[in-house]
Amino acid sequence: MFHLTVPDIVDALIAAKTRGIDVRIILDSKNLDNRASGAIAQRLVDRGIDVTRSSPAFSITHVKAFVVDDTRAVVMSLNLTRPFDHTRDYAVVTDDAAVVADFLKVFDADIDNAAHRTGKTPDGLTSTALVWSPESEARISQLIDSAHATIIASTENLGDKAIHAAFTRAENRGVKVRVLVPMCDLGSDPTRNLKFVGELDHAHVDARVMPAPATREQPYTHAKMIIVDGTQLFLGSTNFSENSTRHARELAIIVGDHAVISAVTTAFEADWRFAAPPPPPKAENVCPRDPRDQTALPIAW
């Protein structure tokens, strides 16, 4: 996990350990340097839970996923942190044995990576459904290149040139491409996406932004997903940025389940109603100084 701060989830993990469940967690090492996150991790350790700081060989360990009883995997875009009520995220639950086996194999490898400060992804992974970072750029680009008619996608961060080029190629061959990102990023640079979404828009990709502030009806776009031709869904922790695809430990899953794809599509279409075109390159004051500021800013472009 990248973030783990929700008290109810922390309590549930402790309760599981108390009833005899083996609980092992890898947490992002940089987040553990935060006093609040570090205190939560220490509470888990004090209750006998095995908590490992992630390897510094990865820029971040951004995975949001877990396995229960070696039989069921949950692969998510959401962090286990608040607030849930005005952030758009998704999760996939699967009993696919190959997915579970590969997750456990990489988990064990990342325990070893943490001990040796390495960043190796093990050989012999068999699930074609899972997409691991580093080195996810080619798989994501190939998925986009496979589209014949439509692509809908959302991400918190843009910036990967190969993925941008794949979206542009799809648009140029007649695929209807729609990409949604937050207008005001919650990271250190609130306007970091605007350059990239403007470039996609200039390339005739229908790239739009979700205006701030986030609300339940108009949520912050955190989900990292792509749906190709309404038949394949890519979903997980991987942003469309070069840090995410090349340097971070990330995990996403590709599924073809109709009900799952339909649910995600419905949510995307609900969000798209509020999406705005990207602001002009030199537009000023498009974001609050702090994007968490609940003061709405007018869209004047």
Side-chain angles (χ1 to χ4, degrees):
M1 290 303 305
F2 183 57
H3 285 301
L4 174 57
T5 63
V6 178
D8 290 349
I9 294 174
V10 174
D11 291 344
L13 291 168
I14 292 172
K17 180 64 177 179
T18 300
R19 66 178 186 268
I21 303 299
D22 178 33
V23 182
R24 297 188 296 153
I25 307 171
I26 300 173
L27 293 175
D28 178 67
S29 59
K30 294 181 178 65
N31 271 322
L32 289 180
D33 291 336
N34 173 278
R35 181 178 298 180
S37 295
I40 289 170
Q42 188 59 53
R43 182 181 173 214
L44 294 170
V45 170
D46 290 344
R47 299 302 293 269
I49 291 174
D50 185 354
V51 176
T52 297
R53 293 177 67 100
S54 65
S55 172
F58 302 117
S59 60
I60 54 174
T61 289
H62 197 235
V63 174
K64 305 96 161 41
F66 59 94
V67 161
V68 176
D69 289 338
D70 292 349
T71 58
R72 176 164 291 176
V74 182
V75 180
M76 311 184 292
S77 67
L78 62 137
N79 293 301
L80 297 181
T81 189
R82 291 197 172 113
F84 291 123
D85 63 342
H86 56 266
T87 302
R88 175 65 72 204
D89 273 304
Y90 308 106
V92 166
V93 181
T94 178
D95 298 330
D96 185 295
V99 166
V100 171
D102 278 5
F103 177 89
L104 295 174
K105 189 170 184 177
V106 176
F107 184 94
D108 288 340
D110 281 351
I111 295 288
D112 187 70
N113 281 328
H116 295 94
R117 303 176 67 85
T118 51
K120 301 175 182 177
T121 300
D123 296 328
L125 301 178
T126 61
S127 173
T128 58
L130 294 184
V131 182
W132 294 95
S133 293
E135 301 182 5
S136 63
E137 190 178 60
R139 284 285 307 277
I140 298 171
S141 298
Q142 288 165 8
L143 177 64
I144 296 167
D145 285 338
S146 73
H148 297 288
T150 61
I151 294 172
I152 59 174
S154 68
T155 188
E156 185 179 26
N157 298 148
L158 290 166
D160 187 292
K161 295 180 180 64
I163 294 174
H164 295 188
F167 282 135
T168 301
R169 285 194 301 273
E171 184 68 35
N172 288 344
R173 66 176 182 270
V175 176
K176 182 180 179 182
V177 182
R178 291 183 289 160
V179 179
L180 179 62
V181 301
M183 183 169 72
C184 302
D185 191 278
L186 292 179
S188 58
D189 178 6
T191 62
R192 74 170 306 280
N193 278 321
L194 300 186
K195 171 179 180 286
F196 303 121
V197 76
E199 290 172 353
L200 287 172
D201 180 70
H202 185 71
H204 306 295
V205 173
D206 193 357
R208 302 189 188 183
V209 295
M210 180 65 81
T215 65
R216 184 181 295 272
E217 293 76 24
Q218 187 175 305
Y220 179 78
T221 304
H222 186 259
K224 305 91 167 65
M225 75 87 185
I226 305 170
I227 297 177
V228 170
D229 293 335
T231 60
Q232 292 187 86
L233 166 67
F234 169 96
L235 185 154
S237 70
T238 315
N239 281 298
F240 308 157
S241 69
E242 291 179 355
N243 178 62
S244 190
T245 60
R246 299 183 186 183
H247 306 295
R249 172 62 87 205
E250 307 272 12
L251 176 61
I253 189 168
I254 299 174
V255 299
D257 184 276
H258 175 74
V260 173
I261 292 172
S262 178
V264 174
T265 300
T266 297
F268 176 88
E269 297 295 353
D271 294 346
W272 190 258
R273 292 178 302 158
F274 298 102
K282 294 186 179 182
E284 297 181 355
N285 301 321
V286 296
C287 289
R289 186 164 298 183
D290 181 349
R292 296 169 180 83
D293 184 356
Q294 291 300 298
T295 304
L297 293 175
I299 298 174
W301 56 88

